[in-house]
Amino acid sequence: VQGSVPVSALKAALPATLAGLGRVSMQVQDGAVLGLSASQASAEYGSEDGERRISLELTDMGAMAALAQLAAQSQGETETPERMERHWQQGGRAMQEEYEKDGSRAGVQALLKNGVVVRLAGEAMPIADLRALLERMDLAALEGLQRDALRK
């Protein structure tokens, strides 16, 4: 039975700076819920004036990742006068984005082929900037991360 990607590998993938913003905090979690292994590493990045903020989360749900991949096969979009949300498949990855049309908040997410979820969210940052950040990330390297054997 597989565990999850080691939290140390996820932590190592968090850059010191992102889009010219310095890292202001970092959090890592490793554990099991209902006997299922999971790991997560996240960081917050911010401008010195506090105007712009980006969060980056790397999550592996271990054995639950296969279920997430099945659920993520849907494609579509939802639009209101204030908000947009889209889901699609790209290069074997399940992609999602959502944003406020006034530019106040935006988020992009990729469910990678190995089940690792990469999520970027920003305040006062256009969705196009977050898309570009995700495209510049080495997603192939994250897909190459291997899961540990399940710890008993």
Side-chain angles (χ1 to χ4, degrees), residues 67-75 87-89 93-95 111:
L67 289 176
Q69 287 171 317
L70 286 174
Q73 294 301 313
S74 66
Q75 299 185 61
H87 302 262
W88 73 99
Q89 301 294 312
R93 300 172 179 144
M95 309 297 290
L111 175 57

Side-chain angles (χ1 to χ4, degrees), residues 22-78:
R23 187 170 58 208
V24 295
S25 68
M26 180 174 22
Q27 180 179 6
V28 295
Q29 294 177 263
D30 188 11
V33 177
L34 300 174
L36 299 172
S37 181
S39 57
Q40 179 183 32
S42 61
E44 293 283 331
Y45 302 84
S47 59
E48 289 184 22
D49 62 8
E51 292 285 316
R52 293 178 50 205
R53 293 191 68 79
I54 301 173
S55 65
L56 170 59
E57 294 178 10
L58 305 174
T59 307
D60 181 30
M61 295 300 296
M64 291 298 291
L67 289 176
Q69 287 171 317
L70 286 174
Q73 294 301 313
S74 66
Q75 299 185 61
E77 61 183 54
T78 303

Side-chain angles (χ1 to χ4, degrees), residues 99 103 106 124-131:
Y99 58 93
M125 177 163 277
I127 187 67
D129 290 357
L130 286 175
R131 280 186 207 126

